Amino acid sequence: MLRQDYSIWRCGRHEISLARPRVMGILNVTPDSFSDGGEHDDPKVAVDYALQMLDQGADIIDVGGESTRPGHTPVSPEEEAKRVVPVIRGILQAAPSAIVSIDTRHPAVAHMCARMGVSIINDVSGFTDPEMVRVAAESNCGCVVMHWNRGEGQATRKFVQLDSARPARAPQRSIPTSTRRFTLPEEAPIMRDVMGFLGDQARILMRAGVSHDRICIDPGPGFDKTADQDVVIQRATRKLVSMGYPVLTAVSRKRFVGAVSGITVAADRDPATMGICLSAIESGARILRVHDVATACQAIDSYWSVAKADPRQGFVSIGSNVGDRLENLTQAVRLINQIPLTCVVQVSHAYETEPAYGIKTSVANAVVEIRSELHPMVLLDDLMNVEQQLGRERDPEQTGHGPRTIDCDLVYVEDEEHAGRKLTLPHPHLGERDYVLVPMEDLMHDPVRFLMHAGVPVYAPEERVGHVVSELGVLDWQ
């Protein structure tokens, strides 16, 4: 089935597929942010929290070192760099393939972070500083252009002049009336301002050398806008999408979320935030910037799986070195085929392979090609459940986690990049594993070409680990 959206957001060395929504986790390393100020002041705590968000399903980590809440105190570039640099360095050391965004309005900080390996520059001032435009053009980072309504005044609700010619009536007591007939301001002037600014700034970036597919737009909810204006803008998300750039929805815990939900405490607005995010997704927004990543991923993944037909190709490497190994592999394939919203397409032959990664005995390996509509993090949990059903016990004290009745590695999912302690996609060791690459030859003509086209470096056969020794035969799983 054809997908509705094949767009790609190019951010540094990453190509973020927007065929499904992406979650940007907020990491404020500030003492005065409006809902979580001071919680992540310590760099180690901040890095651990970033890795936790990745394991919860965040696709991007957005690091900010200056609060932009109403009434905030601006900080110098030096102070902001002091806050964010250790955190970004720690995240990329722990998860080198993580997609990290720097939330800054300072060109010097953006330049420094881009050199460190940050993939996205998220500028709340909308690249109005020519120096920030130059930094963006000289890097290969993705760029988030945000609209900030700095004192341009409020759009008023539309007034209607009613027909004054009425049939004569007996004199009645005068009742105060209003000519206001609409609950929200008129959309046209608001969206003319927002879309005009975003379009102008995007064109400035492109004239400076930033390619169209590196630019994302953000209407800037809460930035000197009234709750009424924010609602008008959210309802016009489809118009923003029609501009041809990825749209970022950054409504998490904002004041207008409290206004429409009645929740006064910012940290308690996460459920209301999810409702607005789902509305934005339905209107075409594809990047959601949130504080509560776990709740967001649970809501978005469930919504997307039910509302959208979106099967993805994937490959699962399975191996066994305990008991009846071929029977273990066969049972694993059958259980994988029973995972909801997932089916097994084909299975390679089983192969005897050399021990690798500290395992002492030879291993029977195969590769399973699947189609799944589950988010990779959800699919991984289901694969771990397959291991448990077949008696797999992981011993962290033993190299390679000890003998394995069955081992299920999710090594590749179409259009998916992820980094974290729980899951990294594509699998970081995929290109060096002979016991994966050789079985994949049963499933496609040229797996090396396929993987290298997907950005996976593949080792020469003599440089690989876990070399195939012999073929063990076909798995009768159907």
Side-chain angles (χ1 to χ4, degrees), residues 162-168:
L162 300 179
D163 188 355
S164 58
R166 298 182 180 180

Side-chain angles (χ1 to χ4, degrees), residues 308-377:
K308 309 293 182 180
D310 188 19
R312 306 293 182 92
Q313 179 188 42
F315 293 96
V316 180
S317 171
I318 57 176
S320 175
N321 67 341
V322 174
D324 188 339
R325 300 176 303 167
L326 293 185
E327 179 61 21
N328 292 337
L329 297 180
T330 302
Q331 290 297 327
V333 176
R334 290 171 180 165
L335 290 173
I336 291 171
N337 197 43
Q338 295 174 13
I339 294 174
L341 279 75
T342 303
C343 69
V344 172
V345 177
Q346 55 181 338
V347 182
S348 74
H349 291 187
Y351 292 88
E352 186 85 34
T353 65
E354 296 175 346
Y357 304 115
I359 298 174
K360 304 300 183 183
T361 59
S362 59
V363 183
N365 281 289
V367 172
V368 183
E369 181 184 353
I370 63 171
R371 291 284 188 278
S372 182
E373 298 190 43
L374 297 176
H375 186 281
M377 300 297 291

Side-chain angles (χ1 to χ4, degrees), residues 321-322 357-359 384 387-388 391-407:
N321 67 341
V322 174
Y357 304 115
I359 298 174
M384 296 300 99
E387 292 186 355
Q388 292 177 5
R392 168 76 187 272
E393 295 182 3
R394 294 176 180 269
D395 184 357
E397 300 299 322
Q398 296 191 45
T399 303
H401 296 303
R404 53 196 68 191
T405 307
I406 194 68
D407 184 45

Side-chain angles (χ1 to χ4, degrees), residues 28-45:
N28 288 320
V29 290
T30 58
D32 57 345
S33 290
F34 75 96
S35 74
D36 57 355
E39 293 183 7
H40 311 115
D41 284 350
D42 184 289
K44 185 178 184 304
V45 172

